[in-house]
Amino acid sequence: MSPYTPQGIIEPPLPHNDRWGRAGSLIGNERLHQLEILLDEAFTIPGTRIRFGIDGIIGLIPGLGDILAGILSLFIPLAAWVRGVPYITLARMLTNISIGLIIGTIPILGDAFDIFWKANRRNYRLLTLHIAQPHRHTWRDWAFLLLLGLAITVIFAIPLAFLAWLLVKLAAWNPAR
């Protein structure tokens, strides 16, 4: 796959959107694009079109690897925050990292998932889309957060429902039979 190239004219954010003044210019599109490529697309598996970066390599280290990769992946959302990206976009970015981090902890399967998930590429796209069209959120942003909230609710509700069912069964259990 070729690296993502933003469409349209990308202009730097307005000065009032930059949370750190001139320091925001230190994390420009060129540097963030290089970081995204390094983390997600720097290498190709010979004979295939599958690309991966140091994120996938670091993730192979049991336990510590996924945590280190997650910390490195936080740089793009931090840069987005400094450049004034709205919080809904930042929430999507952090969710992308969280999904990669949580599933990445599964041995072997999680490492393969990291190679195909490419959270840093997703986050770089979100950043460049926001810069190209500031303050424009689509229904996809809100639908994503709604589905995320529902998924988290279901994840917490299933063990609680199982516990309630188990307590009802234990209360009705009669060992004297």
Side-chain angles (χ1 to χ4, degrees), residues 1-2 40-53 115-116 118:
M1 295 177 103
S2 62
D40 283 345
E41 301 176 346
F43 311 104
T44 303
I45 296 175
T48 69
R49 293 176 44 174
I50 299 173
R51 301 183 65 82
F52 64 97
I115 290 172
F116 292 103
K118 298 187 188 306

Side-chain angles (χ1 to χ4, degrees), residues 164-177:
W165 174 82
L166 187 62
L167 289 174
V168 167
K169 290 293 184 182
L170 285 174
W173 183 52
N174 186 359
R177 283 191 198 171

Side-chain angles (χ1 to χ4, degrees), residues 4-171:
Y4 171 70
T5 305
Q7 302 296 318
I9 298 171
I10 297 182
E11 299 175 5
L14 298 174
H16 69 277
N17 279 348
D18 192 342
R19 290 183 172 92
W20 286 356
R22 286 189 193 170
S25 65
L26 296 174
I27 40 183
N29 287 342
E30 181 69 27
R31 289 189 179 132
L32 293 175
H33 185 64
Q34 290 171 351
L35 176 66
E36 178 265 322
I37 289 173
L38 177 67
L39 291 174
D40 283 345
E41 301 176 346
F43 311 104
T44 303
I45 296 175
T48 69
R49 293 176 44 174
I50 299 173
R51 301 183 65 82
F52 64 97
I54 62 170
D55 188 358
I57 296 171
I58 293 172
L60 293 172
I61 302 170
L64 186 63
D66 291 311
I67 294 170
L68 291 174
I71 290 171
L72 287 173
S73 294
L74 287 174
F75 191 75
I76 293 174
L78 176 64
W81 178 78
V82 168
R83 293 173 74 179
V85 169
Y87 291 119
I88 188 169
T89 305
L90 292 173
R92 286 194 67 182
M93 290 179 169
L94 293 175
T95 302
N96 288 336
I97 293 171
S98 299
I99 290 170
L101 185 64
I102 291 169
I103 296 177
T105 59
I106 301 169
I108 301 171
L109 178 65
D111 298 318
F113 177 81
D114 278 342
I115 290 172
F116 292 103
W117 179 246
K118 298 187 188 306
N120 299 296
R121 179 171 37 149
R122 291 170 186 270
N123 289 344
Y124 181 73
R125 281 184 181 176
L126 287 170
L127 174 64
T128 56
L129 288 173
H130 167 74
I131 291 171
Q133 299 173 346
H135 307 294
R136 181 169 181 247
H137 298 293
T138 64
W139 64 271
R140 289 181 180 177
D141 293 322
W142 296 104
F144 178 82
L145 289 179
L146 178 66
L147 289 174
L148 177 66
L150 290 173
I152 290 171
T153 302
V154 167
I155 288 170
F156 282 106
I158 289 173
L160 291 175
F162 177 73
L163 182 62
W165 174 82
L166 187 62
L167 289 174
V168 167
K169 290 293 184 182
L170 285 174

